[in-house]
Amino acid sequence: MSATARFPLPPGSTLGILGGGQLGRMLAQAAARLGFDVAILEPEADSPAARVAAHCIVGAYDDPKALKALAELCPVVTYEFENVPAVAVERLVGLGVEVAPGALALAVAQDRAAEKRFLNEAGAPTVAFEPADTPEAAAAAALKLGAPCLMKTRREGYDGKGQRWVEHAADAPAVFEALGGRPVILEAPADFVRELSVIAARGRDGAVAVYPLAENHHEKGVLRRSVAPARVAPETAAQAERIAARVLNALDYVGVIGIELFEMAGGKLLVNEIAPRVHNTGHWTQDGCEVDQFEQHIRAVAGWPLGPTHARAQVEMLNLLGEEVETWPKYAAEPETRVHLYGKREAKPGRKMGHVNRLRGPL
């Protein structure tokens, strides 16, 4: 059984990460800079994160033997994605392991209806929404919200997957079936000016640190580029900081969180969704801040003081999707650009293979 975690966790300790993708890889690299070893639990042996970690346990996330092996190595475990099976967290906690962020954050983020309810109760406004478990309920929800409206599966789905527009209320049952006949949530459209996001962190002592806002641009549901710090009014920045603090404190959160926002015409911010982990829209911090989101997350879960979050430069982050990764020589030749590649073996269409951060000059 794992030794009981004592905070702050000293260098030389081993941190566990559930998930071996690019976020796990960058977390492992940040942990190594602080003197930690990392153990990855991941179904695939040759994952990007495993190749930069001290230990790799190959197994399903809910495999009792794999979880026991992880617990024997690590007093503290975190994760790189929000669809971690709840049973995995329960088993780890039962084995005496600290898991951060905690079970409440996972439960909220894994169900879009629960997420919207939680956000509204925490004082973080969202668009109007209605859950539906049947085709008939979906039609009624579309009538109540008004069409067009957006239908999303309540669980899973990311980068634009698991969602479709309902152009007319009468179309809702067919859209419901097209999404797999699973419980869904319908959302009123947001007539937003632009999409923003805020990356924030909360330490084990309750301290909160918030990064400057990023302005984000998506194509086909996938993030293409972020520019940060976004040009926003001081009131908008303060509004985002309040939302972040309310969400983090209501969750009793430990670690970094990504909060996607809609900026409305009148300046009001609505929360689109939260991600209880480091986030694609925070990659700019690697080259734009003294302490990036990955180191910040490790600091938080290890019980270290949070680092500074102010920006040193304006950065444009561009995702490299699929075969675009082959353009790395072009970006590597640009003195103002920093290349971050994920080490994935196969460049599939739309797959995130890396990103570049282009420094756009002083603030």
Side-chain angles (χ1 to χ4, degrees):
M1 181 177 291
S2 168
T4 302
R6 295 184 179 181
F7 300 108
L9 208 63
S13 304
T14 301
L15 289 170
I17 300 176
L18 297 174
Q22 68 263 23
L23 299 181
R25 181 184 178 98
M26 290 182 278
L27 284 170
Q29 291 168 328
R33 291 199 304 270
L34 299 182
F36 294 110
D37 284 343
V38 168
I40 300 293
L41 173 55
E42 158 69 30
E44 296 183 12
D46 190 35
S47 69
R51 297 201 302 278
V52 300
H55 310 276
C56 177
I57 300 166
V58 179
Y61 298 120
D62 56 358
D63 181 342
K65 290 183 180 179
L67 291 167
K68 185 174 185 295
L70 186 66
E72 289 172 349
L73 286 170
C74 309
V76 179
V77 170
T78 188
Y79 43 87
E80 69 152 8
F81 68 112
E82 56 267 49
N83 289 319
V84 173
V87 66
V89 175
E90 293 167 5
R91 288 185 188 278
L92 287 169
V93 171
L95 291 166
V97 175
E98 286 272 346
V99 179
L104 176 58
L106 276 179
V108 167
Q110 287 180 356
D111 184 314
R112 287 188 171 91
E115 179 184 64
K116 287 285 194 295
R117 293 191 192 101
F118 165 82
L119 288 168
N120 289 329
E121 290 170 1
T126 68
V127 296
F129 68 96
E130 291 290 332
D133 294 341
T134 66
E136 295 76 19
L143 277 172
K144 183 175 181 179
L145 291 172
C149 56
L150 186 59
M151 187 185 298
K152 301 177 181 177
T153 55
R154 283 179 59 167
R155 291 184 174 272
E156 301 178 341
Y158 60 94
D159 286 345
K161 300 173 183 175
Q163 62 184 51
R164 292 193 182 188
W165 281 97
V166 178
E167 298 296 338
H168 306 280
D171 300 334
V175 175
F176 179 89
E177 296 298 346
L179 289 174
R182 296 176 290 167
V184 298
I185 181 174
L186 287 84
E187 299 176 0
D191 187 19
F192 57 88
V193 175
R194 56 179 172 168
E195 296 182 55
L196 300 170
S197 62
V198 61
I199 305 297
R202 186 173 183 270
R204 291 191 178 275
D205 61 356
V208 172
V210 183
Y211 287 91
L213 287 160
E215 179 176 332
N216 307 307
H217 301 269
H218 292 76
E219 292 178 10
K220 298 179 180 179
V222 179
L223 180 70
R224 289 298 296 168
R225 56 188 285 268
S226 294
V227 178
R231 305 297 189 192
V232 297
E235 296 80 6
T236 303
Q239 192 181 162
E241 290 179 9
R242 287 195 300 272
I243 288 172
R246 287 170 181 168
V247 171
L248 290 168
N249 289 326
L251 288 171
D252 194 22
Y253 198 88
V254 173
V256 163
I257 194 169
I259 304 177
E260 297 181 8
L261 303 163
F262 295 135
E263 182 182 19
M264 309 304 284
K268 182 178 181 179
L269 295 178
L270 300 180
V271 179
N272 179 30
E273 62 183 31
I274 62 174
R277 53 172 171 80
V278 288
H279 198 256
N280 197 170
T281 64
H283 290 354
W284 71 273
T285 62
Q286 290 174 299
D287 300 291
C289 298
E290 292 182 27
V291 171
D292 66 41
Q293 66 165 341
F294 300 99
E295 178 180 328
Q296 194 78 285
H297 187 77
I298 298 299
R299 282 172 172 256
V301 300
W304 287 29
L306 298 181
T309 56
H310 59 270
R312 299 184 298 178
Q314 189 171 56
V315 177
E316 178 186 31
M317 189 283 301
L318 178 68
N319 273 332
L320 300 179
L321 305 178
E323 296 295 337
E324 292 172 357
V325 71
E326 300 302 329
T327 62
W328 67 263
K330 166 184 175 293
Y331 292 112
E334 297 177 357
E336 73 280 11
T337 301
R338 307 293 176 263
V339 180
H340 300 266
L341 302 180
Y342 305 151
K344 295 180 179 180
R345 301 299 195 194
E346 185 180 357
K348 299 177 182 177
R351 190 182 197 193
K352 293 175 182 174
M353 301 297 295
H355 67 273
V356 295
N357 284 333
R358 180 177 286 121
L359 304 180
R360 298 178 60 174
L363 299 173

